[in-house]
Amino acid sequence: MVHIDKDLVAASATPLVLGILAEEESSYGYAILKRVRELSDGRMEWTDGMLYPLLHRLERQGLVGASWGTSEEGRRRKHYALTEAGRRQLAERQSQWAVVSQTLARVWDAPGAAGPLSGPVLA
């Protein structure tokens, strides 16, 4: 598995969770963890200890709402859903990430640009 720097994980976590919640009416923690794994083809493995503090922060910020439900097995679990503020925040984050992604693509695809395994390396 490719190691993804914790700063990059932290920067991408909010838009990723908001995007996953935008896919469905609501979801719960384990399903979100599973979806991150699916979307990354198994290259990103989030833990409960990373996800739940993020969900609680998003809830405090009013970007997601939470309610208790019961699974098919009869267990109680907390379901999370986007609020209108969360939808607006997702749109803003999508715009921001588009700029970052386009900028990185331009610098990495530029003529003479060093590829990931070539070019000068500064120690």
Side-chain angles (χ1 to χ4, degrees):
M1 183 180 328
V2 173
H3 170 76
I4 300 174
D5 185 79
K6 67 179 182 177
D7 292 336
L8 189 53
V9 171
S12 62
T14 294
L16 188 51
V17 168
L18 294 177
I20 289 169
L21 292 175
E23 290 180 333
E24 298 186 27
E25 194 172 305
S26 72
S27 193
Y28 56 98
Y30 176 76
I32 294 170
L33 292 173
K34 184 177 173 188
R35 187 69 178 131
V36 168
R37 198 174 317 112
E38 289 171 0
L39 290 167
S40 69
D41 295 324
R43 293 175 291 184
M44 292 175 68
E45 290 283 338
W46 285 7
T47 64
D48 293 353
M50 190 227 118
L51 177 63
Y52 287 104
L54 172 61
L55 286 169
H56 296 153
R57 181 174 51 82
L58 295 175
E59 189 177 3
R60 283 191 311 273
Q61 293 172 338
L63 302 179
V64 301
S67 62
W68 286 98
T70 305
S71 71
E72 293 173 5
E73 298 83 30
R75 288 184 294 219
R76 282 178 39 94
R77 60 179 161 205
K78 202 171 194 181
H79 286 258
Y80 298 89
L82 274 185
T83 62
E84 268 310 306
R87 290 189 189 287
R88 289 190 301 272
Q89 181 66 33
L90 175 58
E92 178 64 28
R93 294 289 179 111
Q94 287 171 324
S95 296
Q96 293 170 5
W97 274 94
V99 171
V100 171
S101 178
Q102 290 166 2
T103 304
L104 287 172
R106 286 180 182 149
V107 73
W108 290 337
D109 295 339
L117 299 177
S118 65
V121 176
L122 302 175

